[in-house]
Amino acid sequence: MTSAKVHPLQRLFNYDRIYRTEALQASVYSVLNTVFDLAPPYLIGIAVDIVVNRESSWIAQLGAKGISAQLTVVSVLTLIIWGLESLFQYLYDRKWRNLAQTMQHDLRLDAYQHLQELELSFFETETTGNLLSILNDDINQLERFLDSGANDILQFITTVLLIGGTFIAFAPSVSWIAMLPIPFILWGSLAFQKRLAPRYADVRQKAGLISARIANNLSGVATIKSFTAEDYERDRVFVESDAYRRSNRRAIELSAAFVPLIRFVILIGFTATLFLGGLEVANGRLSVGTYGFMVFIIQRLLWPFTSLGQTLDQFQRAMASINRVMNLLDTPIEIPTGNRAFPTHQVKGEVGLQNITFAYRDRTPALKELSLHIPAGQTIGIVGATGSGKSTLVKLLLRFYEIQQGQILIDGVDIRELQLRDLRRCIGWVSQEVFLFHGTVAENIAYGSFDASRAEITQAAKLAEAHEFIAQLPEGYDTIVGERGQKLSGGQRQRLAIARAILKDPPILILDEATSAVDNETEAAIQRSLETITQHRTTIAIAHRLSTIRQAHCIYVMEYGRIVEQGTHEELLEINGLYASLWRVQSGIRA
């Protein structure tokens, strides 16, 4: 059975069966609370029966003689029942709310963990805002329903069954008119629910779109300001927000009509019971106590239907949200981890790419039957025009994407056989798009090496030529860098990223335009440090500035996803091909 055909609640309880036990306990408490909550009207009926019938009352028939004794029994029962009603209210309220918190916590954590394991191609089609909407808004919607909505539904069902059964038992001649509105109300409720479901699914979709728009704009606020596009972006947010408002309005128009219609049907049942029940008493076919009980209890039977619309409204919102969360959790992981352990201390660092072909989704191949070999401990350079496939090689080596053809080997082992954590632990990657987390300088350098000492952090910073500028920051290594490191310059962020990779001390180091954002003086200093850093480890340096890789053991020149030249700096200049042309342009030498 496909997930689309399975009810959201079934999908939720199938996800983790421990929730079933917790929900069952909470349900029992809710039902018992309702039973004891409905008892006072019955006690009132008994009390009226005692006053009217005295020694022939129902309580007297059980053995209690005298009005005083009978009323004492009723009073004691009242105290016990009210106490039990309060106890079970405490129990169900605590159980449901704790279950809501547990499920919210577990689902958010599991959904986030699953999200982290998905391949990068998934994030190319999904917006950050929509994913945030699922992890926050949708999971919170489930919590709100479990906090009160689940209990409301159970208590409603218990009330209808208990009071309906009492009506049939004590006043079968009148009960049919009291019960007559119920089938129409239930039919109307189901009809409303069926029509509301797609409207609330649309509401959740629109919520994801507005969240995506705002998240995207907040990330690009500097660009918005620089192009004075504030009014333009405000209008785009208006469009998304208005679509969300109109989607909600369509749902509200339907849900708001439910209660007035239900109240009208309830009024008919209540009035008919009042009138026909009174006639039954006048004709001697119904006792005064039973009639008083019926008039009082009929409201407890029918009026809960007025809140049914609100409960169903909350239910449909929660079901739409559960579907979105479950759909995320059901997204298959297309790059599964291998089973082979690969301890970092055992990695030599030999890298081989054998006849690999790779294309991004719905695009022409970025790499075509490419092969190269990197001996352990050597430094190689990769150069080429933008779009030639340089950075793609790195992402394939880290298994961010899966190749369509060929093999990638580390120490002669296909990386698809390796445990992903071990594979990525043995590779230090300095991306051209540096990402720093909101936190201190020290925390960002130690990211991934969380048990590093301050001395080790400082040493890594010195090797990355970052210690000097860090020392000048207001709080040194304890300075907060801001979201994405926005309080630092591009060059400073890049040096922290290099320090982070150095501290990781991986057998394979990848420098993807690692010095592109630093000035010439800092670049020269980093180059001197790299001579030390790259010793006894395999280094892959991707560069636009050819001066940064001229000392590499071998340089590969890429064009249109293929290697077109390879050799040392001097050998490539002698070939007088693409590399030599690039060198002349960058060094200012005329042909």
Side-chain angles (χ1 to χ4, degrees):
M1 183 179 290
T2 63
S3 60
K5 296 181 180 179
V6 180
H7 192 276
L9 278 181
Q10 185 177 342
R11 296 180 71 184
L12 182 64
F13 289 127
N14 286 343
Y15 173 70
D16 195 335
R17 294 183 183 274
I18 192 172
Y19 298 147
R20 292 185 177 185
T21 303
E22 295 290 310
L24 181 60
Q25 291 180 10
S27 299
V28 170
Y29 296 149
S30 293
V31 170
L32 289 174
N33 169 258
T34 306
V35 170
F36 290 114
D37 183 52
L38 290 173
Y42 291 82
L43 294 173
I44 292 173
I46 293 172
V48 171
D49 184 52
I50 292 172
V51 172
V52 173
N53 295 318
R54 298 178 178 270
E55 298 303 323
S56 61
S57 70
W58 178 72
I59 289 291
Q61 295 174 17
L62 295 177
K65 303 300 181 180
I67 293 179
S68 178
Q70 294 180 49
L71 291 176
T72 299
V73 171
V74 173
S75 298
V76 172
L77 285 175
T78 300
L79 290 173
I80 294 173
I81 287 170
W82 278 67
L84 290 172
E85 188 272 336
S86 298
L87 172 64
F88 284 111
Q89 180 176 1
Y90 165 76
L91 291 175
Y92 86 65
D93 195 30
R94 180 178 177 182
K95 199 70 175 179
W96 279 121
R97 293 172 73 175
N98 282 336
L99 177 60
Q101 294 301 318
T102 299
M103 293 180 74
Q104 174 188 238
H105 171 74
D106 291 347
L107 280 176
R108 180 176 287 120
L109 200 63
D110 290 349
Y112 175 74
Q113 177 62 26
H114 185 76
L115 200 60
Q116 288 190 125
E117 294 176 1
L118 293 174
E119 61 287 347
L120 286 186
S121 59
F122 171 82
F123 297 92
E124 294 171 357
T125 56
E126 289 288 339
T127 63
T128 302
N130 185 53
L131 296 175
L132 286 174
S133 178
I134 294 173
L135 293 176
N136 285 321
D137 296 345
D138 288 317
I139 290 178
N140 289 344
Q141 189 72 50
L142 170 62
E143 178 209 4
R144 285 190 288 271
F145 171 70
L146 289 175
D147 271 346
S148 59
N151 173 71
D152 291 343
I153 291 175
L154 284 169
Q155 293 196 332
F156 169 79
I157 294 172
T158 304
T159 298
V160 171
L161 293 177
L162 190 60
I163 297 178
T166 303
F167 263 59
I168 294 172
F170 286 97
S173 60
V174 181
S175 62
W176 68 271
I177 193 66
M179 309 287 283
L180 184 61
I182 293 179
F184 295 98
I185 295 172
L186 291 177
W187 173 81
S189 300
L190 293 174
F192 267 84
Q193 180 183 354
K194 186 175 181 180
R195 294 187 63 187
L196 272 172
R199 298 195 184 198
Y200 278 124
D202 186 64
V203 168
R204 299 316 310 155
Q205 182 187 25
K206 294 297 192 299
L209 292 176
I210 183 62
S211 180
R213 173 65 62 196
I214 292 174
N216 188 62
N217 285 7
L218 290 177
S219 298
V221 68
T223 303
I224 293 171
K225 287 179 176 293
S226 68
F227 284 92
T228 61
E230 291 91 344
D231 291 344
Y232 172 75
E233 291 300 338
R234 180 203 60 208
D235 291 342
R236 293 216 291 177
V237 170
F238 171 84
V239 169
E240 300 289 2
S241 182
D242 189 55
Y244 177 62
R245 180 183 64 175
R246 284 186 280 106
S247 181
N248 257 308
R249 182 177 292 173
R250 285 192 293 271
I252 292 169
E253 285 173 353
L254 187 59
S255 62
F258 180 82
V259 171
L261 292 174
I262 295 302
R263 287 174 71 94
F264 182 75
V265 177
I266 289 171
L267 178 61
I268 295 173
F270 177 76
T271 305
T273 303
L274 190 68
F275 178 74
L276 295 178
L279 291 178
E280 291 290 296
V281 173
N283 294 326
R285 291 191 291 269
L286 192 66
S287 70
V288 175
T290 303
Y291 176 66
F293 161 74
M294 286 182 57
V295 171
F296 188 81
I297 202 71
I298 187 65
Q299 299 179 68
R300 299 293 301 271
L301 172 65
L302 296 179
W303 286 118
F305 282 95
T306 62
S307 62
L308 184 60
Q310 182 179 357
T311 304
L312 289 177
D313 184 85
Q314 195 177 31
F315 176 77
Q316 283 302 337
R317 288 178 182 268
M319 295 307 101
S321 293
I322 289 173
N323 264 332
R324 279 163 55 84
V325 176
M326 290 296 130
N327 287 341
L328 174 60
L329 285 165
D330 290 342
T331 303
I333 297 172
E334 295 182 0
I335 301 182
T337 184
N339 298 318
R340 182 166 177 171
F342 203 54
T344 301
H345 65 275
Q346 296 180 9
V347 179
K348 297 176 182 178
E350 179 185 10
V351 178
L353 285 76
Q354 297 181 356
N355 197 36
I356 65 170
T357 295
F358 170 76
Y360 292 100
R361 186 175 295 176
D362 301 324
R363 292 166 65 180
T364 57
L367 300 175
K368 306 168 187 175
E369 299 181 349
L370 183 144
S371 298
L372 64 84
H373 177 256
I374 308 171
Q378 287 198 4
T379 297
I380 69 145
I382 301 177
V383 300
T386 300
S388 59
K390 306 184 300 298
S391 296
T392 298
L393 278 179
V394 173
K395 294 173 182 177
L396 294 177
L397 186 59
L398 286 159
R399 275 197 85 195
F400 290 161
Y401 297 90
E402 200 80 295
I403 56 176
Q404 281 93 39
Q405 177 184 313
Q407 276 187 312
I408 300 177
L409 309 172
I410 295 181
D411 292 350
V413 180
D414 192 316
I415 63 173
R416 287 172 290 200
E417 299 177 16
L418 305 176
Q419 294 179 8
L420 276 174
R421 289 181 179 272
D422 285 354
L423 168 67
R424 291 167 183 168
R425 282 192 183 115
C426 76
I427 300 173
W429 177 42
V430 181
S431 171
Q432 57 184 314
E433 299 175 358
V434 175
F435 187 94
L436 298 182
F437 295 88
H438 182 73
T440 66
V441 169
E443 288 170 343
N444 273 281
I445 293 176
Y447 192 80
S449 305
F450 301 109
D451 57 350
S453 67
R454 181 55 65 94
E456 291 170 328
I457 293 171
T458 303
Q459 180 60 25
K462 288 179 178 178
L463 288 172
E465 296 294 328
H467 178 72
E468 185 176 344
F469 90 78
I470 294 173
Q472 296 174 358
L473 294 174
E475 297 180 51
Y477 283 84
D478 295 318
T479 301
I480 299 295
V481 302
E483 190 174 4
R484 295 177 176 266
Q486 61 186 350
K487 293 184 178 181
L488 304 178
S489 70
Q492 290 172 333
R493 291 196 295 268
Q494 209 155 33
R495 279 178 276 175
L496 291 189
I498 294 172
R500 185 160 60 193
I502 292 171
L503 185 60
K504 186 179 181 181
D505 192 26
I508 300 172
L509 178 64
I510 298 173
L511 305 172
D512 189 355
E513 302 287 352
T515 59
S516 62
V518 300
D519 54 46
N520 292 333
E521 184 177 349
T522 303
E523 180 189 359
I526 291 175
Q527 284 299 320
R528 290 192 296 272
S529 297
L530 287 178
E531 292 176 7
T532 303
I533 296 166
T534 58
Q535 287 183 7
H536 310 301
R537 79 174 85 240
T538 304
T539 305
I540 301 172
I542 297 173
H544 277 300
R545 295 182 185 177
L546 303 186
S547 58
T548 62
I549 57 166
R550 62 181 301 176
Q551 302 301 324
H553 293 95
C554 185
I555 299 170
Y556 295 88
V557 183
M558 294 187 64
E559 188 175 38
Y560 302 121
R562 299 180 185 275
I563 294 175
V564 293
E565 296 176 12
Q566 67 182 74
T568 63
H569 173 73
E570 289 75 17
E571 290 170 345
L572 290 172
L573 289 181
E574 289 181 10
I575 294 174
N576 197 28
L578 181 58
Y579 180 87
S581 176
L582 292 171
W583 177 257
R584 286 193 294 269
V585 171
Q586 292 189 16
S587 60
I589 301 173
R590 294 185 178 181

